[in-house]
Amino acid sequence: MKRLALLLFAECILNFSLLANPTYIVGQFNVFASTDKPLKTEGINRFGVKEDTFFFTNLERDYIIELDHLLYENGTNNPVVLDLPIAELENLENIIKAEDLLKFETAGKAYSWMLDMLKNNVKIYIIDINDYYKSDPALKEPDRMKVIEVRISYQSIPDHILNPVTFE
C-alpha cells in the first residue's frame, strides 16, 4: 500500500513539474495577411496581425506545426498574453529557438514532438521578437515583450499519427 501511495505521489510531482515548466518559443515571425498562404510558405510564419496562429512549415520534410492562440478547449477560451521586460528572457527555462522547429529530421519526429507536448500538458508560449516595444518613447531600445500563450492544433497532426493502426 505504501508503494502505491509513493508511486501516486511521484506521478503527481512529475505532472506538476511538467506543468510548472512551460516551453517558450522565441523567434522572428513573418506576418501574413488573410490573402496570403502561410501553409504553403516555408519558414516561421504568423497569420494575422494579432495573436492568431503561428506556423512552422518545412516543405522539404512535409510537416507543419500549427500553434493557435485562439483555440477553444472544453467550451472556454482562456489563452493569455503576458507583458514582460525583455530582460526576463534570462530567467526563463525551456527556451526553443523558433527556427529549431524547422529542423526535425522527419515529419514523424515533428508530429511526435507535438503529441508529446500535448500528452504532457506543457504550456507553450510564443515570443515574437518583432513585437518588442518601448515602454517609454524616450528609450533608445525596446525594453518590453509580449509573451503569447498558444496551443498545439490537433487538426495539424495527420490522422495516421493521431490514430496509428497496429497489426498483431
Side-chain angles (χ1 to χ4, degrees), residues 3-148:
R3 285 185 187 176
L4 180 60
L6 282 173
L7 284 173
L8 288 173
F9 179 73
E11 185 175 347
C12 288
I13 294 296
L14 179 62
N15 287 337
F16 179 74
S17 68
L18 287 173
L19 290 174
N21 292 315
T23 294
Y24 298 90
I25 301 170
V26 180
Q28 189 170 11
F29 291 79
N30 301 315
V31 178
F32 284 89
S34 60
T35 56
D36 294 325
K37 301 197 177 353
L39 294 174
K40 303 283 186 198
T41 305
E42 179 102 352
I44 304 163
N45 304 308
R46 179 178 181 168
F47 188 71
V49 292
K50 296 192 181 218
E51 302 79 34
D52 294 339
T53 304
F54 299 85
F55 297 98
F56 304 83
T57 306
N58 186 318
L59 296 175
E60 179 183 335
R61 295 190 182 108
D62 196 27
Y63 70 83
I64 298 169
I65 297 172
E66 180 181 332
L67 304 175
D68 295 321
H69 174 68
L70 301 174
L71 188 63
Y72 291 93
E73 184 175 282
N74 299 329
T76 63
N77 187 13
N78 297 326
V80 298
V81 177
L82 305 172
D83 179 43
L84 297 174
I86 293 172
E88 193 64 29
L89 271 172
E90 296 174 7
N91 300 325
L92 299 177
E93 296 180 19
N94 299 329
I95 294 177
I96 298 174
K97 292 179 183 176
E99 56 269 7
D100 288 347
L101 293 179
L102 298 174
K103 296 179 181 176
F104 287 102
E105 294 173 13
T106 65
K109 288 185 180 185
Y111 294 126
S112 292
W113 175 82
M114 293 169 71
L115 283 176
D116 287 344
M117 298 296 274
L118 285 166
K119 288 178 183 175
N120 291 317
N121 294 318
V122 176
K123 284 200 177 248
I124 302 173
Y125 294 91
I126 295 282
I127 300 172
D128 187 344
I129 63 175
N130 293 324
D131 286 343
Y132 288 0
Y133 66 96
K134 299 177 188 178
S135 61
D136 182 351
L139 294 171
K140 289 184 181 180
E141 298 289 327
D143 65 329
R144 306 291 294 182
M145 64 182 175
K146 288 198 292 185
V147 180
I148 304 163

